[in-house]
Each structure stands twice: as C-alpha cells, then as structure tokens.
Amino acid sequence: MTDALTIQQAAAACGLSVHTLRYYERIGLIKPVARRGNGHRLYRAADLDWIAFLLRLRATGMPIAKMRRYAQLRELGMRLDSVGERKAMLQEHALVVESEIRALGETLDYLREKIVIYSRMEEELKRKERGNGKHEVRKRTAAAEGSRRRGG
C-alpha cells in the first residue's frame, strides 16, 4: 500500500462518501489534506486516524458544532488551554453517552420483559389450540361413531 490514499480510496476505507470527506474539510473538521500537483487530495494514515476519531464522536451523537470546536482546539496543538478544554469536552460528552447507555439499558430491559410476557401468552394460546384441537377430534370421532351406529 502506498503512504497516501486518493479521496475515493479514503472514502472506501473509512465508510464515508467522497462528498462527506469534502464537506468535513470545508467546514473545518478535517484540516486541508496534502494534494498532488494536479490538485487531487492525498489522505495519509494520520488523516484517516483523525477521521476515525470523528466518526466515533459522530456515532455517539456529538453535534457537529462541538466536533468543529474540538477540531479547532486540536489545531492549537499541545497547549495547556487546548488540551484542558478538549479533555473537558470529552469528559462532558462521556457523561452524556453514559446516560444514554443507561437509558437504553432500561429500555432494553423493558422490551425483554414484554417479550417474556408475549412468549407466555403465545404458549398459552398454543396450549388452548392444542386442547381445542383434541376436543374437536373427540367430537368428530364421537359423531362418526354415532353415524356408524345409525347406519350412516
């Protein structure tokens, strides 16, 4: 593999569209990537690592505006204020994600309880159908016996 990917290759590698990569660059989430002499973008491993991090933030529901602020702070580099604010942003967002996970866990527990209830209802209905089926077979058998006795 070469040390750089075209925008099409980078898009395929990270699961984004070419349009989204260009958009992320335009709004400042991705700093302008290196370009060939013909102007084609070249994505390096560090670019793909940063995009992977952005995708994690996006997957956890971080708003684009906060992601942009994080990217701005990152561009400031290893400064105490930048590092401190980035850390605080991630701590705050982690609390939000933890809360969402708890809420989803509670919802999942509720759904599982409902599934158990429906499983019980389903089994009860199956038992009744099997019971009615046996009853119907007995009724039909008795009717056939009576018919034979009457000469039917």
Side-chain angles (χ1 to χ4, degrees):
M1 178 175 129
T2 64
D3 61 342
L5 301 177
T6 66
I7 194 167
Q8 290 84 8
Q9 292 168 325
C14 63
L16 292 173
S17 69
V18 168
H19 172 77
T20 300
L21 285 175
R22 288 187 186 120
Y23 171 70
Y24 278 9
E25 188 176 337
R26 189 171 61 251
I27 66 169
L29 280 178
I30 301 171
K31 64 183 178 183
V33 295
R35 292 186 183 244
R36 289 186 177 145
N38 61 6
H40 293 180
R41 290 171 175 83
L42 292 173
Y43 290 83
R44 309 235 183 255
D47 299 318
L48 296 178
D49 289 344
W50 172 243
I51 292 167
F53 178 70
L54 291 174
L55 291 175
R56 291 211 180 246
L57 293 179
R58 188 177 85 175
T60 61
M62 181 179 276
I64 293 271
K66 285 189 178 187
M67 290 169 61
R68 287 178 66 193
R69 176 64 183 151
Y70 191 96
Q72 291 167 348
L73 292 167
R74 179 177 180 255
E75 285 303 304
L76 295 176
M78 294 295 288
R79 294 179 14 189
L80 187 57
D81 59 341
S82 169
V83 170
E85 190 174 338
R86 283 184 277 166
K87 177 184 167 189
M89 288 180 73
L90 293 179
Q91 287 173 323
E92 179 184 317
H93 190 63
L95 292 174
V96 169
V97 171
E98 288 168 352
S99 175
E100 291 173 357
I101 289 170
R102 272 191 304 277
L104 282 172
E106 290 169 6
T107 300
L108 181 58
D109 289 344
Y110 180 78
L111 292 174
R112 286 185 173 145
E113 289 171 13
K114 293 296 274 185
I115 290 168
V116 168
I117 290 168
Y118 283 116
S119 292
R120 289 177 186 152
M121 291 168 67
E122 193 175 47
E123 287 304 313
E124 185 179 327
L125 290 168
K126 286 178 183 177
R127 272 195 308 276
K128 284 182 181 178
E129 281 184 13
R130 285 191 299 265
N132 285 342
K134 289 178 185 174
H135 184 67
E136 287 298 314
V137 169
R138 281 182 286 204
K139 281 172 69 177
R140 277 185 257 131
T141 305
E145 288 294 319
S147 175
R148 275 188 236 139
R149 286 188 207 136
R150 289 189 303 269

